[in-house]
């Protein structure tokens, strides 16, 4: 079990180094947890504004859509550094242990969000609601599939 | 008092519209507070990695410095939308009420951080520790002066 845990830790570290804009260096697990929750919350707020436009709850505003989508695309790269080895607990968290048991699969979800949100940011540059909608849906599906698999209710 | 509060709210809204990348649209004050705290915490984590390099606690790494400084410069634009009218309370917060009593002065601090962190990101592109240090110090002073004035211990 210890060897398996070590292998998992190494795999996650290697994955992190390949895809993350800044290596994870947290003083304590609580910081990693606060970091990932903060990044996800900030991203979620901007994403929900796009969702309100996509669903017709607020008027479509091309400039605001671009700004929000650009922020989402930037923020999408960040949370994953906060899921490093040893950050399974240390503060209240809804993260399931599967994240640390199958890090490659988790990383696929993270990479998918980064890719979809980049496409969403590109799509909002068309300046039309229709241009944004499909990319928004694909990004939202990426959020949902990861939450379904790796986030407790 | 009501007129003064209204004037303050209008001034803060106008200020926000001028400088923020996305207008503040939070469902409830708690969301605004979580948003600003999350954005500030994420920024602080990346900033502290630059600080560790500037202070010689970890080796200078030009690539990591650039990545962290770019994230700081992006994140520096975000928290201020979370200090809108009505977000004085609703969740635990260290924000002093002066933020809402003198919004123009608070905005000057926010703008200063945005400007200094952009300079810091540019400075890290020199690829040298010395190039980064002065800009890091100026940015750190910007953090500190705002915390001294507007954050409770």
């Amino acid at each position: 079990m210890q060897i398996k845990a070590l292998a998992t830790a190494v795999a996650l570290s290697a994955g992190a180094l390949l895809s993350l804009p800044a290596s994870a260096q947290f003083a304590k697990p609580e910081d990693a947890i606060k970091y990932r929750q903060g990044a996800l919350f900030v991203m979620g707020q901007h994403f929900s504004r796009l969702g309100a436009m996509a669903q017709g709850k607020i008027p479509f505003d091309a400039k605001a859509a671009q700004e929000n989508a650009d922020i989402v695309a930037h923020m999408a790269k960040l949370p994953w550094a906060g899921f490093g080895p040893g950050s399974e607990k240390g503060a209240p968290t809804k993260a399931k242990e599967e994240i640390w048991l199958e890090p490659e699969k988790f990383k696929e979800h993270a990479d998918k969000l980064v890719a979809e949100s980049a496409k969403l940011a590109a799509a909002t540059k068309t300046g039309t609601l229709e241009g944004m909608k499909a990319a928004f849906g694909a990004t939202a599906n990426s959020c949902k599939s990861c939450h379904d698999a790796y986030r407790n209710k």
Side-chain angles (χ1 to χ4, degrees), chain A:
Chain A
M1 264 312 268
Q2 277 199 315
I3 288 172
K4 194 181 166 200
L6 180 64
T8 300
V10 169
L12 191 62
S13 299
L17 287 172
L18 288 175
S19 72
L20 295 170
S23 56
Q25 295 161 329
F26 298 100
K28 48 188 193 293
E30 182 190 349
D31 288 347
I33 294 171
K34 280 177 69 177
Y35 176 90
R36 70 200 189 206
Q37 290 174 342
L40 287 162
F41 188 82
V42 168
M43 180 169 62
Q45 289 293 305
H46 290 282
F47 192 65
S48 73
R49 290 166 203 173
L50 296 171
M53 289 184 207
Q55 293 157 21
K57 291 181 186 169
I58 60 171
F60 177 68
D61 175 333
K63 184 166 175 285
Q66 268 196 42
E67 289 170 346
N68 281 298
D70 281 342
I71 295 171
V72 169
H74 276 297
M75 297 302 302
K77 301 173 189 168
L78 301 185
W80 324 115
F83 288 95
S87 66
E88 299 89 334
K89 49 190 169 180
T93 173
K94 291 181 187 163
K96 287 188 184 174
E97 66 171 359
E98 279 75 8
I99 292 170
W100 292 271
L101 296 175
E102 46 190 45
E104 285 98 350
K105 278 175 91 175
F106 182 66
K107 184 177 177 310
E108 280 173 25
H109 283 272
D111 290 345
K112 177 95 172 147
L113 178 70
V114 172
E116 295 296 354
S117 63
K119 284 186 218 163
L120 174 58
T124 59
K125 306 254 183 314
T126 62
T128 68
L129 177 59
E130 288 313 310
M132 182 186 86
K133 270 189 179 174
F136 176 83
T139 311
N141 284 341
S142 163
C143 300
K144 184 179 184 312
S145 67
C146 192
H147 289 168
D148 287 349
Y150 297 112
R151 186 175 72 164
N152 284 313
K153 303 283 175 196

